[in-house]
C-alpha cells in the first residue's frame, strides 16, 4: 500500500514538474513546431489537402517531435532528481527504488502526453478549417505517437540510469537507428525503427493518401499488420521498462558533487 | 546495536571514499567528525543505503539499508547538499516527503507543521523555498528528517550556515532527541559543535575511521601519546619541583596560576598527587586533563 501510494505521489510530483524549467521550454517549442508549420500552410498555401496533414504527422510529429520529446522525457525521469541532487530525499523513504522510477516515468509520460496530444489537436483543428481531416486521423496520430513516446521514453530513461550523458548519446542513437539505419536499402532493416511501427499504425488505420504514405504502404509486406506493430511497440516498451527497473534496483545512483 | 559497519570499504573508481570501517553505533547522539573530504558523507550515505559498500557489510536496525526499503521508514535523513524543489513551499516539501512514509494527507500535513514549528519555520512555511535564507534551508532539511518521528536521525553537516542562535537551539533539540531514545548521528567538521552535543564520536580522516567511542575511551586508547594534565596552584614552582620527581613525567610547564604536566603515566600522577600536595601543604585550585578535548585528540590522531 505504501509502495502504491509512493508511486502515485511521485508520479504526481513528476507530472507537475514537466512544465517547469528549461526543458519545458524546449518541449513546448518542439510541440509548437508542427503547429507553426500547419499554421503557415493553412494561411498561405493555395491548396491544402488532408495529405498535407498526414505529412505533418509522419514527418513532423513521428520523425521529429516524438523522438526528441521521448529523449527529453527519458532523461528527465531520474535525471532531474539526480542533477538537482534531490534524489537523496526520495531514496531514503520506505518506497522501493523501482516504484520511484516507475512513478516518475508514468508522471512524466502523462505530462508529455498532454503536451503532445494538445499539439496534435491544435494542428488538426487548423487543417480542418481548409481540408477534410477527420478526428479519427488525429486520434490515430495521438495513439501511435503516444506509443512511440513511451517506447523512446522508456529506452532513454533506462539509458540515463547507466549514462550521465544520456541526452547526447540518446540523440546520436536516435539519429543512427531511427535516421540512418532504418533508411538503408536493406530488406527488413526499417522494421528496427520505432518510426516504422508508428507510421504503420497511422497508415493502416486512416484513409488519407499521401505520396510518402503510398510509398511506405507499397513497401509493407502482407505480414505487417496493425496487431504486429502493436506487439512490437509493446514489446519494446515492456523490455525497456523492465530493464530500467532492473537497473535502478541493482545500479548505484550517485548524486553529483556540488559545484563550488 | 543500532548500526554496524563491518570492514566496509567504498571506492569511487580509483578514488577512495572509505577504507575498512569497522564500527558500531549505539543509541544516543553520535558525532561523526572529520575535516572536509574525510569520508563523512560517504559514511552516512552507506549508512542510509544510498550507496552500496564496495566491500564489507552495513547493517542498520538489523537490515541491509541498501536493499531494504522498509528500513527507511524508521530513519530520517538530512543530506548535506543544498538541494530542494525550489518552487515548492516549505510546508508542501515536508508534507510530500512525509506522505511517502504512508501517512494520509491530513496526518502528513499535521506532522509537517509540527516539524516546521520545531525548527522555527512556522511563519514562513507557506513561502517558496527559493526565498529562504541559508539557515532556513538547513532547518527545512531537518524538519523533513524529523517529521515522521524516526528512530534513527542521520544529519549530514546540519549546522552549516545556521546563525548562532539556531545553532544552539538545534544542538539542544538533538540532545533532547538523543535523551528521548532517538539515535542521532550527526556529522560535522567543527569539533566544538559536536563536542557540545555528545561525548560519543567517530573520528574520520582520509577515508579511515581513526577512532570511535567516548572522548575518554579514545584518549585512553592513545596510550603512547603523553597526557597533558593541568594542576592549578598559587605556588607553581613548588608543585613543579615535586612533579618532576614522579615516574613518567616528561615535562612541566609553569605559569602564574599553576603547572601543565606532560606524562606517560597519568594514573600514577592522579594516585600520587593527593599525598604529594598534602605533604607540601600546596593549595590546589584545579585538576583536569588538558588534552581530552576533541581538538587535541584529533590533533594526535591525524598528526
Amino acid at each position: 500500500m505504501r509502495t502504491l501510494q509512493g508511486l502515485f505521489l511521485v508520479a504526481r510530483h513528476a507530472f507537475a514538474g514537466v512544465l517547469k524549467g528549461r526543458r519545458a521550454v524546449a518541449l513546448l517549442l518542439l510541440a509548437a513546431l508542427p503547429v507553426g508549420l500547419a499554421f503557415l500552410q493553412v494561411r498561405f498555401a493555395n491548396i491544402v489537402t488532408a495529405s498535407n496533414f498526414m505529412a505533418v504527422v509522419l514527418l513532423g510529429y513521428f520523425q521529429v517531435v516524438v523522438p526528441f520529446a521521448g529523449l527529453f522525457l527519458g532523461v528527465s525521469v531520474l535525471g532531474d532528481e539526480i542533477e538537482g541532487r534531490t534524489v537523496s530525499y526520495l531514496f531514503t523513504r520506505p518506497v522501493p527504488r523501482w516504484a520511484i522510477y516507475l512513478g516518475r516515468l508514468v508522471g512524466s509520460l502523462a505530462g508529455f502526453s498532454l503536451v503532445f496530444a494538445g499539439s496534435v489537436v491544435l494542428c488538426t483543428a487548423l487543417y480542418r478549417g481548409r481540408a477534410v481531416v477527420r478526428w479519427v486521423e488525429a486520434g490515430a496520430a495521438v495513439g501511435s505517437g503516444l506509443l512511440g513516446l513511451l517506447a523512446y521514453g522508456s529506452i532513454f530513461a533506462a539509458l540515463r540510469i547507466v549514462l550521465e550523458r544520456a541526452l547526447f548519446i540518446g540523440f546520436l542513437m536516435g539519429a543512427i537507428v531511427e535516421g540512418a539505419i532504418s533508411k538503408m536499402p536493406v530488406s527488413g532493416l526499417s522494421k528496427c525503427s520505432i518510426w516504422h511501427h508508428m507510421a504503420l499504425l497511422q497508415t493502416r488505420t486512416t484513409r488519407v493518401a499521401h505520396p510518402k504514405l503510398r510509398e511506405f504502404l507499397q513497401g509493407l509486406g502482407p505480414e505487417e499488420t496493425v496487431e504486429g506493430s502493436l506487439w512490437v511497440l509493446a514489446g519494446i516498451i515492456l523490455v525497456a521498462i523492465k530493464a530500467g527497473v532492473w537497473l535502478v534496483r541493482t545500479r548505484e545512483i550517485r548524486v553529483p558533487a556540488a559545484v563550488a | 546495536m543500532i548500526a554496524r559497519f563491518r570492514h566496509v570499504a567504498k571506492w569511487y573508481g580509483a578514488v577512495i571514499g572509505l577504507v575498512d570501517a569497522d564500527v558500531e553505533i549505539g543509541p544516543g547522539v553520535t558525532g561523526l567528525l572529520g575535516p572536509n573530504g574525510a569520508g563523512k558523507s560517504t559514511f552516512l550515505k552507506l549508512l542510509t543505503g544510498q550507496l552500496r559498500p564496495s566491500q564489507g557489510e552495513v547493517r542498520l536496525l538489523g537490515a541491509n539499508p541498501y536493499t531494504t526499503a522498509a528500513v527507511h521508514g524508521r530513519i530520517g535523513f538530512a543530506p548535506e547538499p543544498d538541494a530542494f524543489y525550489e518552487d515548492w513551499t516549505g510546508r508542501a516539501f515536508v508534507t510530500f516527503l512525509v506522505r511517502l512514509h504512508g501517512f494520509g494527507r491530513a496526518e502528513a500535513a499535521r506532522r509537517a507543521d509540527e516539524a516546521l514549528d520545531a525548527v522555527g519555520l512556522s511563519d514562513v512555511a507557506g513561502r517558496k523555498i527559493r526565498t529562504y535564507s541559508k539557515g532556513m534551508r538547513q532547518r527545512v532539511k531537518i524538519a523533513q528528517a524529523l517529521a515522521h518521528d524516526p528512530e534513527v536521525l542521520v544529519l549530514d553537516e546540519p549546522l552549516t550556515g545556521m546563525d548562532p542562535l539556531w545553532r544552539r537551539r538545534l544542538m539542544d533539540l538533538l540532545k533532547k532527541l538523543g535523551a528521548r531514545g532517538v539515535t542521532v548521528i550527526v556529522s560535522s567538521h567543527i569539533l566544538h559543535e559536536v563536542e557540545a552535543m555528545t561525548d560519543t564520536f567517530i573520528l574520520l580522516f582520509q577515508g579511515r575511521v581513526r577512532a570511535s567511542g567516548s572522548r575518554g575511551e579514545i584518549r585512553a586508547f592513545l596510550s603512547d601519546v603523553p597526557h597533558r594534565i593541568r594542576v592549578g596552584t598559587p605556588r607553581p614552582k613548588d608543585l613543579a619541583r615535586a612533579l618532576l620527581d614522579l615516574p613518567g613525567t616528561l615535562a612541566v610547564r609553569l605559569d602564574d596560576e599553576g603547572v601543565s604536566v606532560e606524562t606517560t603515566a597519568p594514573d600514577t600522577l592522579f594516585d600520587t598527587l593527593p599525598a604529594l600536595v598534602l605533604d607540601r601543604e600546596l593549595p590546589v585550585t584545579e585538576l583536569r586533563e588538558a588534552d581530552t578535548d576533541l581538538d587535541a585528540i584529533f590533533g594526535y590522531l591525524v598528526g
Side-chain angles (χ1 to χ4, degrees):
Chain A
M1 190 60 200
R2 192 152 63 179
T3 301
L4 273 182
Q5 182 178 334
L7 195 151
F8 170 73
L9 285 168
V10 170
R12 216 173 57 175
H13 166 46
F15 177 76
V18 165
L19 289 180
K20 281 178 185 163
R22 276 180 299 177
R23 200 169 287 150
V25 176
L27 174 67
L28 287 174
L29 283 176
L30 195 62
L33 202 68
V35 178
L37 282 176
F39 174 78
L40 291 176
Q41 199 168 42
V42 168
R43 179 83 179 78
F44 299 109
N46 291 328
I47 302 166
V48 179
T49 66
S51 67
N52 294 124
F53 167 75
M54 197 51 74
V56 169
V57 169
L58 292 179
L59 305 176
Y61 282 109
F62 290 181
Q63 217 153 46
V64 179
V65 176
V66 173
F68 278 103
L71 184 57
F72 292 150
L73 161 69
V75 296
S76 71
V77 167
L78 272 189
D80 284 357
E81 297 284 349
I82 295 171
E83 282 140 31
R85 293 180 294 145
T86 45
V87 75
S88 295
Y89 294 114
L90 300 180
F91 281 0
T92 50
R93 305 289 150 183
V95 180
R97 287 171 182 222
W98 64 262
I100 291 168
Y101 174 74
L102 277 189
R104 285 201 53 85
L105 182 63
V106 168
S108 303
L109 180 75
F112 275 64
S113 299
L114 268 186
V115 174
F116 173 73
S119 170
V120 173
V121 167
L122 208 58
C123 191
T124 309
L126 282 171
Y127 277 108
R128 276 173 67 89
R130 296 271 313 263
V132 185
V133 175
R134 295 181 308 163
W135 283 110
V136 70
E137 268 105 36
V142 170
S144 314
L146 289 185
L147 278 174
L149 189 64
L150 182 54
Y152 284 118
S154 46
I155 289 172
F156 294 127
L159 205 64
R160 176 61 186 88
I161 302 169
V162 190
L163 301 167
E164 273 183 38
R165 291 170 179 250
L167 193 66
F168 175 68
I169 291 165
F171 179 75
L172 274 185
M173 201 181 98
I176 293 168
V177 177
E178 295 292 319
I181 292 181
S182 67
K183 302 289 181 298
M184 279 182 180
V186 178
S187 172
L189 213 53
S190 67
K191 290 179 203 166
C192 298
S193 74
I194 292 167
W195 183 87
H196 175 88
H197 296 283
M198 283 194 292
L200 189 142
L201 288 177
Q202 180 72 30
T203 52
R204 289 267 203 240
T205 51
T206 57
R207 58 168 182 77
V208 178
H210 178 267
K212 177 91 186 164
L213 222 157
R214 226 172 283 132
E215 183 192 318
F216 177 76
L217 278 168
Q218 280 162 6
L220 293 179
E223 76 287 355
E224 292 190 67
T225 60
V226 168
E227 291 76 20
S229 280
L230 281 174
W231 277 113
V232 170
L233 288 177
I236 292 172
I237 292 163
L238 283 176
V239 168
I241 289 178
K242 190 123 179 103
V245 165
W246 179 76
L247 283 169
V248 85
R249 283 171 66 175
T250 55
R251 211 178 150 80
E252 192 176 75
I253 289 167
R254 293 181 193 161
V255 176
V259 179
Chain B
M1 204 42 57
I2 302 296
R4 172 105 172 94
F5 276 58
R6 206 182 292 269
H7 299 292
V8 174
K10 181 69 196 170
W11 303 292
Y12 303 104
V15 179
I16 293 168
L18 202 66
V19 186
D20 197 28
D22 197 62
V23 288
E24 289 183 347
I25 299 170
V29 182
T30 298
L32 186 65
L33 270 166
N36 289 329
K40 300 187 297 295
S41 291
T42 298
F43 187 98
L44 295 182
K45 283 179 184 167
L46 286 162
L47 179 68
T48 52
Q50 295 174 72
L51 294 178
R52 185 176 40 203
S54 309
Q55 197 179 293
E57 184 192 43
V58 179
R59 308 291 288 181
L60 177 64
L61 297 165
N64 177 342
Y66 187 79
T67 54
T68 318
V71 83
H72 295 143
R74 300 164 67 188
I75 67 167
F77 175 66
E80 191 264 333
D82 185 43
F84 297 93
Y85 306 128
E86 298 282 348
D87 287 331
W88 290 28
T89 65
R91 180 178 288 118
F93 179 69
V94 178
T95 306
F96 167 67
L97 293 173
V98 177
R99 286 200 74 192
L100 292 177
H101 286 265
F103 295 109
R105 191 192 302 266
E107 176 63 9
R110 188 189 65 76
R111 283 171 175 269
D113 282 343
E114 258 180 34
L116 287 162
D117 189 43
V119 296
L121 290 177
S122 294
D123 294 347
V124 292
R127 253 170 58 185
K128 285 187 176 179
I129 294 176
R130 69 164 70 253
T131 66
Y132 285 7
S133 67
K134 170 76 179 163
M136 288 173 177
R137 293 162 76 87
Q138 287 294 85
R139 284 187 269 151
V140 176
K141 277 197 257 177
I142 292 159
Q144 62 79 30
L146 278 175
H148 55 284
D149 281 335
E151 290 168 52
V152 181
L153 188 60
V154 182
L155 309 172
D156 196 355
E157 302 270 2
L159 302 173
T160 307
M162 253 184 222
D163 61 70
L165 177 69
W166 266 103
R167 201 175 280 247
R168 167 56 52 197
R169 283 183 182 168
L170 185 69
M171 285 194 243
D172 290 343
L173 176 68
L174 297 181
K175 273 199 280 189
K176 268 186 213 158
L177 287 169
R180 251 176 34 197
V182 177
T183 299
V184 181
I185 301 152
V186 56
S187 80
S188 177
H189 60 279
I190 300 168
L191 304 180
H192 68 85
E193 279 180 357
V194 179
E195 207 168 14
M197 282 184 276
T198 180
D199 192 42
T200 307
F201 311 97
I202 296 169
L203 301 181
L204 278 169
F205 186 65
Q206 291 180 338
R208 287 179 187 276
V209 175
R210 293 298 171 114
S212 64
S214 72
R215 219 176 348 191
E217 283 167 352
I218 296 172
R219 183 62 188 88
F221 176 74
L222 296 164
S223 53
D224 54 336
V225 178
H227 289 237
R228 235 172 341 109
I229 295 163
R230 171 78 185 166
V231 189
T233 177
R235 287 161 51 197
K237 281 184 186 167
D238 294 339
L239 181 63
R241 224 172 282 132
L243 290 173
L244 276 171
D245 293 336
L246 287 180
T249 301
L250 298 176
V252 178
R253 209 166 294 133
L254 288 83
D255 56 52
D256 291 344
E257 289 162 3
V259 295
S260 292
V261 192
E262 269 189 35
T263 175
T264 55
D267 293 344
T268 310
L269 188 142
F270 286 124
D271 289 345
T272 322
L273 194 66
L276 200 142
V277 294
L278 282 173
D279 283 353
R280 289 164 178 74
E281 293 178 344
L282 288 169
V284 172
T285 55
E286 181 190 16
L287 177 63
R288 64 179 169 88
E289 279 212 65
D291 58 357
T292 52
D293 64 290
L294 278 180
D295 252 329
I297 293 174
F298 210 80
Y300 291 145
L301 285 166
V302 303

